[in-house]
Amino acid sequence: MVIKVFLASSSGSTAIKKKQQDVLGFLEALKVDYAPLDIACNEDNRMWMRENVPVEKKPTNGIPLPPQIFNEESYCGDYETFFDAKEDNAVYAFLGLPPPPGSKKREVPMEECNGDEHTEEVEAEVGGETGEEAAEEKVAEEKEAVEDTEESLEDTAPVKEEEAQEEVEDEEAKQEEEDE
């Protein structure tokens, strides 16, 4: 299976260039086989991409912008859905690829590979918990981190007060020596 990434080699948009570089760099880092297909220099690539992006995924003007990602003939998503999958550590599921050996991710059938529609379900199944349980756990972890931070601030507050008091006393002692 080859991942097809539709790009515009001569885009005037800096944002599009950065998004394309981000996708390609990440795929290279994961050692995923991909084929960059230029829509700026090849009319066939442009027409194929435009025809194969699902209607519900097209922007309001009807013309999808690069990068657009496919697994062979199956649409995976655009940059935003790729980015979301990357943030959720679900890129292999997003691409419809089996995870690398030693990974705890389960293989997602091709029919489930369509952008980020099933990402939460896959992540929940992998962790053995529902999406709600995972969200509750994350909230609990964040609360704990805040409490730890507050405790450490409380621990340092008396020290800072003592240091300030010592500085005042040192200044008073210096003033008394100068007055003598």
Side-chain angles (χ1 to χ4, degrees):
M1 286 189 253
V2 175
I3 301 301
K4 296 178 182 177
V5 182
F6 288 85
L7 311 166
S9 62
S10 60
S11 173
S13 168
T14 307
I16 288 176
K17 288 178 184 176
K18 287 182 179 180
K19 290 175 180 180
Q20 293 175 162
Q21 289 173 342
D22 187 28
V23 170
L24 296 181
F26 200 77
L27 293 177
E28 287 175 14
L30 293 178
K31 296 184 172 94
V32 171
D33 288 334
Y34 69 92
L37 301 171
D38 191 0
I39 64 168
C41 299
N42 188 319
E43 185 67 27
D44 291 338
N45 286 344
R46 182 179 323 152
M47 295 311 294
W48 192 93
M49 180 193 81
R50 288 181 180 177
E51 291 169 2
N52 288 285
V53 171
V55 175
E56 65 273 6
K57 300 290 184 176
K58 289 184 181 179
T60 51
N61 70 1
I63 301 172
L65 297 173
Q68 295 292 327
I69 305 161
F70 290 80
N71 184 333
E72 295 293 340
E73 310 296 313
S74 178
Y75 182 71
C76 296
D78 60 3
Y79 176 77
E80 281 70 30
T81 52
F82 173 81
F83 182 82
D84 291 342
K86 187 169 100 170
E87 290 294 308
D88 295 336
N89 292 321
V91 174
Y92 288 99
F94 166 80
L95 297 172
L97 296 174
S103 173
K104 294 181 181 178
K105 302 280 184 214
R106 72 171 181 88
E107 184 173 338
V108 178
M110 280 302 292
E111 59 271 8
E112 289 185 21
C113 174
N114 188 10
D116 62 346
E117 288 184 22
H118 300 283
T119 302
E120 291 177 359
E121 296 167 16
V122 171
E123 290 298 310
E125 290 175 17
V126 170
E129 46 190 32
T130 67
E132 279 184 33
E133 290 171 340
E136 289 173 5
E137 185 177 316
K138 186 172 184 173
V139 168
E141 289 172 0
E142 289 174 358
K143 282 183 180 178
E144 186 176 319
V146 168
E147 289 171 1
D148 290 346
T149 302
E150 288 173 352
E151 287 176 11
S152 68
L153 290 175
E154 289 172 3
D155 292 344
T156 59
V159 172
K160 290 183 179 180
E161 287 178 24
E162 290 174 11
E163 290 174 357
Q165 182 63 32
E166 288 176 7
E167 286 180 21
V168 169
E169 291 172 359
D170 288 346
E171 287 297 319
E172 289 175 355
K174 285 182 184 176
Q175 188 64 34
E176 287 177 14
E177 287 177 10
E178 290 176 5
D179 290 343
E180 292 178 0

